[in-house]
Structure formats: C-alpha cells, structure tokens
Amino acid sequence: MNCRSEVLEVSVEGRQVEEALLAVLHTVLLHRSTGKFHYKKEGTYSIGTVGIQDVDCDFIDFTYVRVSSEELDRALRKAVGEFKDALRNSGGDGLGQMSLEFYQKKKSRWPFSDECIPWEVWTVKVHVVALATEQERQICREKVGEKLCEKIINIVEVMNRHEYLPKMPTQSEVDNVFDTGLPDVQPYLYKISFQITDALGASVTTTVRRLIKDTLAL
Amino acid sequence: METDLSSQDRKDLDKFIKFFALKTVQVIVQARLGEKICTRSSSSPTGSDWFNLAIKDIPEVTHEAKKALSGQLPAVGRSMCVEISLKTSEGDSMELEIWCLEMNERCDKEIKVSYTVYNRLSLLLKSLLAITRVTPAYRLSRKQGHEYVILYRIYFGEVQLNGLGEGFQTVRVGTVGTPVGTISLSCAYRINLAFMSTRQFERTPPIMGIIIDHFVDRPYPSSSPMHPCNYRTAGEEVGVTYPSVEDSQEVCTTSFSTSPPSQLSSSRLSYQPAVLGLGSADLAYPIVFTAGLNATHPHQLMVPGKEGGVPFTPNQPAHGAQADQERLMTHTPSDGIHCAATPTSSEDTETVSNSSEGRASPHDVLETVFARKVGAFVNKPMNQVNPPESPGTTSPLHGSLHSDGSSGASSGNNHDDFVMIDFKPAFSKDDILPMDLGTFYREFQNPPQLSSLSIDIGAQSMAEDLDSLPEKLAVHEKNVREFDAFVETLQ
C-alpha cells in the first residue's frame, strides 16, 4: 500500500519551536491513539478510555488538546527537545524538519528481521526566525497562534478522509500495529525522527534517526 | 433501503447517533466554559465512557440537549445546532458560532455499524475536541468573566446562520458515513467581531455601573433559552434540580470483535455530576477583539459576575423584541440600585423579581426571575453608554481596555513626519518667552553686577543712609505695636 504523506510548515521564533511542534504532534497522536485493548475469549476485545486535556502554550497564543498520558507527553517532549537543541547547535539558517511516522510491523521469516512498513508520515518543516523587538515578538505570538489554528484544521481534514488505517489486529498481532508499551493509551506504532537542513534543502551533517519505541529489534 | 440493516444494527446505530449528539454538545459547551479541561485515561474499560473518550457529562447540558432533541435524532432537514454567543454586562449580545450536526442522504451501505461507524464517530469527537480550541470564540471564552459571558443554546431543526454577521467562515470538523445517511459536523463562526448594538438612543444609561455577581436561575418552561457556559457546583444552585439522567436502557459499546460480530457486553451508562469549578475569575480583562473591531464603539464593558453566575437570557427570534428584553433587563438592576446605596440582597431580589415578573413576555419567551445575591458598585463615567463617540473622549473605566482601544485608534493618526512639540523648560524666564538651554546658560555665566556692589553708588548712599536713620527709627517706633503683635503670633 502507499504511504500517506502530509507536510506542514511553520515559521516560528526560537522559543516557540517546542510548543509549535508539540501542538502538531499531539494533535496527530490524539487522532491516532485509542484506549488500551483488553482481549477476551472468542476473539473479542474491549477498549479502555482515553482522557484528554488542554495545554496552554506559554510563548504562543494557542491551546491544544492532547491525550492524558504523561509517558506519551514525556516521549514527545524528549524528541522535540533534541530537535530544538540540534537546530540551535547547527548554527545554520534555522531550518529543520521533524517526522512522525506511523508504521506496521510485518513479520518476516527467519533470518530476516521484521519489516517496518509506514502507512502515514507527518512531516513538520520548521523555520526559525529571529526577532528584534518586543512588539514584533508580540505580533509573532498571535500570528503563530493563528497559523497553528490553520494547521490543526488541516490535520483534522486529513484525518477525516478516513483513508487507510491498519485493520484491528488479533491479540497475537497487536504489537505489530499498536504501541502497547504505555500504561494508559495505545497509539499506533510510531517513530519520530528529525533532520536539520541547510539553506539548500539537502539533508546535511546531522541526520539523526531515533526510535522512540522499539519493541522488537533483531 | 432500511431493510438491509439488521434490526440490531439499526438499534445500535440510533443509539450511537443519539449519544454522539449528546457528547458533541458536551464537548462544545465544555470548550466554552472558560477553563482548561482535563480528564483521565483509564486502561480498564468502565463501560460508561462512550466512544472510548473520557468526556464528562454536565447534567444541565445533557438535560438541555435531550430537551432540544425531544426524542428525535438528527435527520435530513433536522439538524442539531449549538449556538454560542457572547453577552456583555450591558445586554449586548452577539452570536459567535453555530455548531451543526447534520445528516444528509448519502448512505454507505457497506459500512459496519458496530465497529467502523463507532470508531469513526470516536475519531470525529476527537476532531471536535481539537477544532473547538481553534475557532476565535475559544480565546474569547477563556477570558470571559467580568465584562462578558459566553452563552449557549441548543436547538433542533433548521440551521439559522443569520446572526453571524457578514462573511462568516465555516470549518468542517468531519463526516461519518452510515447506512442511513452521512453524519456531518461543522462550525460556522463569525469573523466580524464589531459589536452590533441593539440599543436605542432613548435608553437611559445607568448612573452607576453595577457588578452583578450571581444570578440564580429558576426552572422555566421555554423552547430554547440561552444558557451560560459557566456553571457552579450543584450545592450552590438554589432551587434548580435537574432530573438525574438514568437510562437503564442505554448501554455503552465497549466490546469489539476482530472476528464476525459477537455479543456486545453491556454496562450501565452512568452520568457523573459536574464537579467542576467556577469559571475563571479574571479581573477586569478586556475583550480582545481583533481586526474588525469598530473603533467608534468603545466598550461599554461592564462586568457581570466575576464568579460565574450569569443571567439567563431568553432568546427570541426578533431583534426588536430582544432589544426590549435586554433593555428591561438592565433597567431592573439599576432600579434596584436607586433604592439603596449599598444593596442588600433581599431588597434587590424583591425589586428585580417584581420588575421581571412584570414583563411577562409573549409566546416562546420564558419568564426568568433573577435573584441577585451580591451587588457592588463601580464608578462609571456618565457618557460611557452613549452611542458612538470618538475613541479619545471616553474615559476608561478599566484603564487597560480603553487605553488599548484609544491608543490603537490614535496611533493610526499620529503618523505625521514631524510633530510640533511645545514644551516649557523649567528654567525659562517666563511662560511667554520660553528660552532654550543654551541661552539660559550664557546668561547665567554673565550675570549683571549687583547694584549695591558698584562703588560709586555705594559711596553716595552711605551718607544718605546715615542722614535718613533718625527718620527711619521714628517710623519704626510708631509701628512697634504691630511688630509686637507679629512676634506674638510667632510664639
């Protein structure tokens, strides 16, 4: 099947990078998380409940909704923090992108390792701008807030198309589709990675690929 | 068409749609309460959370929604609408958003009800959660309290978008196809946030501003009243008890199957009481009206409850009638105020309830009785309530708002290249001829000679002084009594 790819672009000030990224990533994961599955006999399962909470941004006039899962939040913050540090240290034009990829694992026969087949990738391109005056920063707060509103609407639009989603797995297959490692929610298996790009758009020096959750690695 | 759907599926579908509608209303109203929402995830299914989402059920909201639906479901031509509007303390109100849950005729026969439709409805609710934070009314609702409140109204039937002003925008939250039609959820929101004042010129402005803290609502018969998106814990509401929603028939789908559909496990659906705090008690926050604000309508923002009690406003179809209603409503508090300098609650209650009962309103307008608990005074300039004035003349009640407004308006005018600044330095000789620093400094450096120090004059006056001494002494002796009296006063 083809992997669906969505690209969002944001232009933010340095201190807004984390919040903008968290807003987008959390909104996507809100839609791509379910409650924990509990399998019973006869192939039936029940689904736990997903809590939600509002998060106010400190540097942007914006509030987003995320699932109530501290572990998930921590994982995202860690990834976004690393991206922000890499962006800062790169010393370039402040261009980078972060990717949230949803994948399915496909078991292969021995001796081959499992394949990870992505079915949806969200890429957020970040452009960091430097502002001089307080007034500009204030305007930036509001503008970025409005832009994020548009991004959320875009995300919801994509989600609403009801395109391919992995089939609900049986108990034995659930780890190939969902990340079952969290105690309270169950997102689809995902990976976060980022790249710092220079002005030419080519991926340069730092290409860091990090696996946030790796259940089976041969 | 409907024979394709099994009766069990049909029943399930109707149930899903019904609870989806109720949850939609809860999400929308809760998003306009002015507070951050936080619910917990639960890994073990409790069976009471529809669509696997932890969305609290506020009993009043459910009650209103059920009343509006009256046992029907959204269908073609019969949409469920939640109207969000803003109401200032002076009675101006403005529709901000209309959320519509509609059904159209496009059916998806192939779709599985108990599984796909349910999950897609869950996804749609999540999208609704995200979108409700994104429309302009969200930020307004987070700042409600003193100057304005956010009200909601649920109605069923045809969508009425007239009150949203020109150029309103629409955002689609999502659609879910079902075997009986496609459910569609969207929001139409106002862009132009300039106040449309329904006030007439002959209206008497209140002499003093009033902060109205609490309005207690009483049950009333009505078609579709406005409700505040603020709420209090059940203990505070006097005389308002909503029937607890007990639906022994309603079960929440919690069990799914990866194999062909099996029995659904049933659990009791229970509504939790709203144990949520009061709306944020922001103190005198100005409304942030972005572009589109008409600068000739400076605000006229008074402060109704800082803690969430809000007047129930009957919503009427005709603007004229609404203006009358609002006028009456704001008159009654001021009548109460004229009676006493510090209003006691009982006195005001009496006054207010008398006057409001007096306005028994036509047909679908409900009769609200206000019982004011606390009133306080705020000094308010007389001219604040008048029709359009220039931004500079209105003296600020809450300084921040008006200075923002007026500076915003005036900054646009002061873009001349050079502005003549007339200043009067402290060291200038006189007010008529202000001099600059350089001139002053030069003069200071070269002062004229003291007259008594010039020699020729001094020599002559010495002799004259000696001669005139006896005369001077005589004069002083004559005035000795005056001198004594003066010395007395000093002691």
Side-chain angles (χ1 to χ4, degrees), chain A residues 27 30-36 38-40 42-56 60-65 67-69 148-150 152-153 156-157 159-160 162 165-170 183-185, chain B residues 35-47 49 52-55 115 119-120 123-124 126-135 138-139 142 171-177 189 254-259 262-263 265 290:
Chain A
T27 302
L30 168 70
H31 289 81
R32 294 284 180 249
S33 300
T34 73
K36 299 278 294 174
H38 296 273
Y39 285 92
K40 300 181 248 200
E42 300 154 12
T44 62
Y45 61 96
S46 55
I47 309 180
T49 302
V50 173
I52 48 101
Q53 59 186 76
D54 284 318
V55 181
D56 286 336
I60 313 173
D61 285 344
F62 188 70
T63 302
Y64 61 91
V65 180
V67 295
S68 291
S69 168
L148 281 179
C149 291
E150 289 171 27
I152 302 300
I153 295 176
V156 163
E157 209 181 349
M159 298 294 180
N160 176 58
H162 299 303
L165 279 181
K167 258 202 308 233
M168 284 301 155
T170 57
D184 39 17
V185 296
Chain B
E35 276 196 347
K36 293 201 312 191
I37 302 295
C38 180
T39 57
R40 291 184 54 187
S41 302
S42 161
S43 69
S44 44
T46 57
D49 292 315
N52 310 115
L53 280 173
I55 298 171
Y115 165 68
N119 285 337
R120 288 187 181 178
L123 198 69
L124 188 53
K126 291 174 182 169
S127 296
L128 181 64
L129 282 162
I131 296 285
T132 43
R133 274 64 175 171
V134 145
T135 53
Y138 180 72
R139 303 220 69 82
R142 288 293 297 270
V171 61
R172 181 124 75 112
V173 182
T175 58
V176 173
Y189 58 94
T254 54
S255 191
F256 297 86
S257 131
T258 51
S259 48
S262 60
Q263 279 296 347
S265 69
T290 53

Side-chain angles (χ1 to χ4, degrees), chain B residues 233-407:
Chain B
T233 56
E236 280 189 42
E237 288 182 353
V238 176
V240 179
T241 47
Y242 288 100
S244 62
V245 190
E246 281 168 12
D247 296 282
S248 52
Q249 307 303 324
E250 316 293 4
V251 298
C252 172
T253 306
T254 54
S255 191
F256 297 86
S257 131
T258 51
S259 48
S262 60
Q263 279 296 347
L264 297 176
S265 69
S266 64
S267 328
R268 200 179 176 86
L269 181 69
S270 61
Y271 287 98
Q272 295 149 14
V275 189
L276 302 163
L278 297 175
S280 61
D282 289 337
L283 294 173
Y285 272 33
I287 295 181
V288 176
F289 281 123
T290 53
L293 173 65
N294 187 351
T296 60
H297 283 269
H299 293 76
Q300 100 234 153
L301 293 177
M302 262 311 301
V303 216
K306 74 174 157 107
E307 272 172 305
V310 167
F312 268 50
T313 317
N315 195 41
Q316 307 177 33
H319 264 300
Q322 190 174 19
D324 288 339
Q325 205 64 28
E326 287 165 353
R327 231 183 294 146
L328 280 169
M329 267 177 48
T330 50
H331 268 307
T332 49
S334 55
D335 288 340
I337 289 304
H338 287 313
C339 298
T342 13
T344 59
S345 17
S346 57
E347 185 178 272
D348 290 334
T349 308
E350 212 181 340
T351 318
V352 172
S353 55
N354 283 344
S355 25
S356 52
E357 268 163 30
R359 48 176 178 94
S361 344
H363 44 116
D364 57 341
V365 178
L366 56 91
E367 191 167 315
T368 41
V369 178
F370 298 119
R372 195 184 323 138
K373 276 188 187 169
V374 177
F377 281 99
V378 159
N379 275 333
K380 189 169 140 189
M382 292 283 285
N383 57 2
Q384 198 163 3
V385 182
N386 289 342
E389 308 160 346
S390 63
T393 57
T394 310
S395 57
L397 168 64
H398 300 293
S400 53
L401 171 76
H402 288 280
S403 57
D404 283 347
S406 52
S407 65

Side-chain angles (χ1 to χ4, degrees), chain B residues 106-239:
Chain B
R106 204 161 17 131
C107 302
D108 185 348
K109 298 292 175 60
E110 309 299 320
I111 202 169
K112 286 208 200 105
V113 170
S114 66
Y115 165 68
T116 312
V117 172
Y118 189 82
N119 285 337
R120 288 187 181 178
L121 288 174
S122 176
L123 198 69
L124 188 53
L125 266 183
K126 291 174 182 169
S127 296
L128 181 64
L129 282 162
I131 296 285
T132 43
R133 274 64 175 171
V134 145
T135 53
Y138 180 72
R139 303 220 69 82
L140 285 175
S141 67
R142 288 293 297 270
K143 296 179 182 149
Q144 68 180 298
H146 285 283
E147 291 136 353
Y148 62 92
V149 285
I150 304 292
L151 308 175
Y152 74 92
R153 178 171 80 96
I154 310 171
Y155 63 91
F156 192 71
E158 272 195 40
V159 184
Q160 297 156 19
L161 298 175
N162 307 327
L164 291 176
E166 281 179 18
F168 63 85
Q169 289 203 354
T170 313
V171 61
R172 181 124 75 112
V173 182
T175 58
V176 173
T178 76
V180 300
T182 299
I183 297 170
S184 151
L185 188 52
S186 61
C187 172
Y189 58 94
R190 167 184 286 272
I191 290 293
N192 179 14
L193 290 174
F195 251 108
M196 295 186 305
S197 176
T198 55
R199 253 190 264 111
Q200 306 301 315
F201 287 91
E202 50 271 18
R203 175 173 165 186
T204 320
I207 293 177
M208 280 184 285
I210 302 156
I211 298 177
I212 301 162
D213 272 353
H214 291 284
F215 282 96
V216 177
D217 51 306
R218 305 261 169 85
Y220 45 79
S222 145
S223 59
S224 49
M226 297 298 291
H227 298 275
C229 289
N230 257 333
Y231 50 92
R232 291 160 288 168
T233 56
E236 280 189 42
E237 288 182 353
V238 176

